[in-house]
Amino acid sequence: LGLAARLLLKMPTGRFDLGAGSGAPDVSFVVQAEWGHRFMTWYGQVGVIALGRSPQLAAILRPTSFTWAIGLELNVAAPWSIIAQFHGHTAFHSGWAHPTMKSSPIGFQVGTKLRLGPIELCVTMGQDPLALDPSADLTLVAAIKARIPPRKNRAR
């Protein structure tokens, strides 16, 4: 059983003037709990997202959103895992009429994680199974994490 607090920073990859995002960074604070048995680890997390709001989107973009996730990690070999996760958050927009933007999205991700000492490299592909908009087809997520202090080796 483990419990961790995480602070996440999402740097903008799109530009508002090109119609590809807000152009502002987002910050999240989440609390994650996990429970592992043999080669499986179940985890869940809840938290809050502070949305970076550009002046152009301030009228329709909420300042914060609640976020959650549940997932399973299968440890295939000592440094390598396969992960699957459902996650979502409350709607980012208020006063928005488009059906795909006013509801809370649900995401499903499948990917892999490689642990190299205190560093974790993770790559996943994600899909919103409830999305009606073809622009939200697939998302590629890559993450680099470092454990401080490094994980101690456990006897198996």
Side-chain angles (χ1 to χ4, degrees), residues 11-109:
M11 298 305 295
T13 56
R15 289 184 14 203
F16 178 80
D17 60 335
L18 297 176
S22 69
D26 300 332
V27 177
S28 301
F29 177 76
V30 297
V31 175
Q32 180 173 342
E34 66 178 33
W35 176 78
H37 182 68
R38 297 189 185 233
F39 62 92
M40 292 188 312
T41 302
W42 290 93
Y43 62 89
Q45 72 182 30
V46 294
V48 65
I49 304 169
L51 298 168
R53 295 170 17 141
S54 62
Q56 300 92 334
L57 296 176
I60 62 168
L61 194 61
R62 296 178 193 270
T64 59
S65 176
F66 173 75
T67 182
W68 62 271
I70 56 172
L72 172 65
E73 181 176 340
L74 299 174
N75 298 311
V76 177
W80 180 52
S81 299
I82 297 173
I83 53 178
Q85 170 181 295
F86 276 106
H87 62 271
H89 54 77
T90 55
F92 288 163
H93 301 88
S94 63
W96 186 258
H98 197 281
T100 63
M101 301 298 276
K102 69 179 183 179
S103 64
S104 297
I106 301 293
F108 177 68
Q109 289 185 263

Side-chain angles (χ1 to χ4, degrees), residues 88-140:
H89 54 77
T90 55
F92 288 163
H93 301 88
S94 63
W96 186 258
H98 197 281
T100 63
M101 301 298 276
K102 69 179 183 179
S103 64
S104 297
I106 301 293
F108 177 68
Q109 289 185 263
V110 176
T112 187
K113 183 188 295 185
L114 181 63
R115 287 173 294 285
L116 304 170
I119 305 295
E120 292 182 359
L121 306 172
C122 181
V123 177
T124 62
M125 293 292 288
Q127 169 68 42
D128 182 349
L130 303 179
L132 304 173
D133 185 354
S135 67
D137 285 340
L138 288 174
T139 303
L140 175 65

